[in-house]
Amino acid sequence: MIPFVKAHACGNDFLVLEEEVARRQHAALARKLCSRNTSVGADGIEFLERRPNGEFFLRLFNADGSEAELSGNGTRCVAAWLASSEGIDEIVLGTHGGPRHCRVVEDADPIYLIESEMGVPRVMERVIELPGVGKISGAMVNVGNPHFVIFVDSEDFGSHGLSWQTLGGQISVSPLFPHGTNVEFVKVLSSDEIAFRIFERGCGPTTSSGTGTCASSAAAMALRGVHRELKAVAEGGMQRTVWTAQEDVMRLTGPAEIICRGEVAAL
């Protein structure tokens, strides 16, 4: 039996497993344990490695078994678990997208409000062309992992005559992005608030995304002139971003909740 913790950040849910239980079966475990009909169910698994020098390192595997650089929400879920289980209220978690410094702002165990330093976003406008769809104006944004952000005006977040789910799915696996990409559809509501939807690489539509929140915010700040402090609202709830200048680290603040602990049958 494999011990696990389940947590969510604005509905974006993750399992937290100790790295030592993976036995080099990360992808297979993700596909099995993330299944919502036949196992625990989650958007992905964060494998937590405790290194001999005292450092922590995370490997993120999506529900389809693919490995991603990092997840902002997943990292925050791990930080919440370490705060709950070990009383750690400030920590640096290593990821393949770079280290992430997390600090507990409010502790109402099992719910935590956590501020994370999310690195320096890189934003570049780009027009892509999809067969059968045509040209799509957007922005490539890197916040430790890749995103393509599209600004929309429609109430349902659709674009180019397609639902955001359909168009996001096509863009996410397009050969234009050899490693795949996360896709966000963003509406600017005011100078200090945006709303967005997320099609997550390796997972599909999700209720929230920490890196997606940062990518959407960075694109809106850099290309739409909104304030450097934003409320960013996804289906799962609101998070806050602060990006004081282009060369500065973006800070993301949002909740994470420990759902349960348990054991599940190994492969």
Side-chain angles (χ1 to χ4, degrees):
M1 301 295 288
I2 295 177
F4 72 89
V5 175
K6 184 171 182 177
H8 81 94
C10 297
N12 190 196
D13 56 347
F14 297 87
L15 305 181
V16 182
L17 273 63
E18 297 289 335
E19 170 66 26
E20 61 192 22
V21 308
R23 301 181 185 275
R24 299 184 180 179
Q25 298 292 310
H26 302 79
L29 281 169
R31 287 190 293 268
K32 178 183 178 182
L33 302 188
C34 290
S35 172
R36 297 191 182 278
N37 298 110
T38 60
S39 191
V40 183
D43 290 327
I45 296 181
E46 293 280 5
F47 290 93
L48 173 61
E49 179 185 358
R50 301 167 186 265
R51 294 184 167 173
N53 61 1
E55 294 180 352
F56 295 87
F57 191 87
L58 301 179
R59 291 184 69 185
L60 168 65
F61 281 78
N62 295 312
D64 69 352
S66 61
E67 185 171 10
E69 297 85 353
L70 81 158
S71 164
N73 282 351
T75 300
R76 199 162 73 238
C77 285
V78 174
W81 167 239
L82 292 173
S84 175
S85 63
E86 300 174 37
I88 301 172
D89 59 10
E90 192 161 355
I91 191 170
V92 175
L93 294 167
T95 77
H96 285 305
R100 293 297 181 259
H101 181 195
C102 300
R103 179 176 65 88
V104 175
V105 178
E106 294 178 10
D107 176 350
D109 190 25
I111 301 174
Y112 293 82
L113 186 66
I114 295 174
E115 179 190 76
S116 305
E117 293 183 0
M118 296 296 291
V120 180
R122 300 196 303 273
V123 181
M124 181 177 68
E125 287 189 276
R126 182 178 175 187
V127 177
I128 64 172
E129 188 164 0
L130 290 183
V133 178
K135 293 183 178 180
I136 303 171
S137 299
M140 293 175 62
V141 185
N142 192 293
V143 287
N145 61 353
H147 296 260
F148 188 74
V149 176
I150 302 169
F151 291 99
V152 299
D153 297 315
S154 58
E155 188 68 26
D156 63 0
F157 292 87
S159 182
H160 293 74
L162 299 171
S163 69
W164 67 266
Q165 297 94 329
T166 298
L167 184 57
Q170 291 185 27
I171 295 172
S172 181
V173 297
S174 168
L176 296 169
F177 303 96
H179 302 290
T181 187
N182 302 288
V183 188
E184 283 80 37
F185 298 82
V186 179
K187 283 197 294 186
V188 176
L189 302 181
S190 68
S191 60
D192 62 1
E193 184 173 1
I194 61 172
F196 66 106
R197 297 292 182 265
I198 313 109
F199 191 98
E200 195 160 341
R201 176 186 58 170
C203 185
T206 54
T207 61
S208 181
S209 165
T211 59
T213 299
C214 292
S216 299
S217 297
M221 292 172 185
L223 304 176
R224 291 296 186 270
V226 299
H227 290 171
R228 290 281 172 168
E229 297 188 21
L230 277 184
K231 292 186 290 184
V233 183
E235 290 177 293
M238 187 269 292
Q239 301 186 55
R240 293 183 180 274
T241 53
V242 178
W243 192 26
T244 53
Q246 301 290 101
E247 67 275 9
D248 289 345
V249 167
M250 177 173 276
R251 300 196 306 276
L252 170 71
T253 302
E257 180 178 6
I258 310 301
I259 300 171
C260 64
R261 298 175 62 182
E263 292 183 330
V264 63
L267 294 171

